[in-house]
Amino acid sequence: GQNIDQPTEMTATEGAIVQINCTYQTSGFNGLFWYQQHAGEAPTFLSYNVLDGLEEKGRFSSFLSRSKGYSYLLLKELQMKDSASYLCAVPAGNKLTFGGGTRVLVKP
Amino acid sequence: DVKVTQSSRYLVKRTGEKVFLECVQDMDHENMFWYRQDPGLGLRLIYFSYDVKMKEKGDIPEGYSVSREKKERFSLILESASTNQTSMYLCASSGDRLQPQHFGDGTRLSIL
């Protein structure tokens, strides 16, 4: 089966950097997704990592280490609009298993 | 741009009623999913479908059924609604299990 762990909540200051960690245990690895979800809205896709290393997309980067069962999402130059929940998810057959989400609060 | 449309944003029903939640996607995706999301419990998969008339149980199928008669439409049915089914329901679709899922805006369902 799948088991995914991520911190429940993090707080950071506008302009700073925040790193959201995700550890997973899965039988058969097929990549890892990150989603962003603002309060009351649907999740939206941020990134998909299948190979080890860092992938950068503007202010957001995602890192994967398959040997360690570990990923992180790095948010740089934080803006108030980045206040949201961030979900990591791993494929399992035809479905995705989601972590509980990390709620990030950006303060002025 | 992928569009996943859920029939209602907010819905209020009574205990014992049969409730239908509808979801339509416009990208010819094979896979469609129904989740519920509750505070502290995250996203939990109820049912999914990987083809017309095909369905598979997710993690919490009890009290729910689904219907996929056409590729673009996936319906979630609460056979006899109960108060513990008050939740946010999210529909999603994807073209392949390794492609991102695209979510609808969600239906906030209250069972009184």
Side-chain angles (χ1 to χ4, degrees), chain B residues 96-110:
Chain B
D96 179 273
R97 66 190 183 95
L98 299 182
Q99 290 181 3
Q101 290 187 12
H102 298 269
F103 287 82
D105 288 335
T107 296
R108 190 165 291 281
L109 175 65
S110 295

Side-chain angles (χ1 to χ4, degrees), chain B residues 20-103:
Chain B
F20 293 85
L21 301 183
E22 306 286 347
C23 176
V24 176
Q25 51 94 3
D26 66 357
M27 282 302 291
D28 202 36
H29 281 168
E30 304 291 334
N31 302 312
M32 296 189 75
F33 308 83
W34 274 107
Y35 297 89
R36 63 177 285 178
Q37 187 171 34
D38 302 285
L41 296 176
L43 270 171
R44 293 181 292 167
L45 182 66
I46 305 171
Y47 266 97
F48 66 102
S49 169
Y50 50 88
D51 201 353
V52 176
K53 296 193 185 295
M54 306 301 287
K55 61 185 178 184
E56 278 197 34
K57 293 180 180 179
D59 301 315
I60 50 163
E62 297 78 20
Y64 303 94
S65 62
V66 290
S67 171
R68 185 132 182 239
E69 296 296 317
K70 293 185 178 181
K71 193 174 186 179
E72 67 270 20
R73 185 180 296 270
F74 192 35
S75 303
L76 180 69
I77 304 153
L78 286 66
E79 297 289 343
S80 177
S82 63
T83 54
N84 63 11
Q85 291 178 309
T86 291
S87 185
M88 169 68 91
Y89 289 87
L90 288 158
C91 174
S93 74
S94 71
D96 179 273
R97 66 190 183 95
L98 299 182
Q99 290 181 3
Q101 290 187 12
H102 298 269
F103 287 82

Side-chain angles (χ1 to χ4, degrees), chain A residues 6-98:
Chain A
Q6 48 181 135
T8 306
E9 196 167 293
M10 303 179 75
T11 303
T13 306
E14 194 175 13
I17 298 173
V18 70
Q19 177 175 314
I20 306 166
N21 296 324
C22 172
T23 59
Y24 62 88
Q25 294 172 320
T26 181
S27 52
F29 181 74
N30 288 293
L32 185 142
F33 291 89
W34 281 99
Y35 286 81
Q36 180 191 57
Q37 185 178 24
H38 286 100
E41 297 182 14
T44 55
F45 168 74
L46 287 178
S47 66
Y48 174 59
N49 293 67
V50 66
L51 298 176
D52 289 349
L54 185 69
E55 289 196 14
E56 298 187 65
K57 276 188 188 179
R59 293 188 301 113
F60 291 7
S61 303
S62 54
F63 171 84
L64 176 68
S65 169
R66 288 173 294 173
S67 62
K68 295 182 179 177
Y70 167 69
S71 174
Y72 67 73
L73 182 69
L74 195 68
L75 283 59
K76 294 181 279 190
E77 299 169 22
L78 277 173
Q79 301 177 8
M80 298 300 291
K81 67 178 181 179
D82 298 330
S83 291
S85 288
Y86 293 85
L87 315 172
C88 62
V90 294
N94 278 330
K95 58 182 184 176
L96 276 182
T97 298
F98 284 86

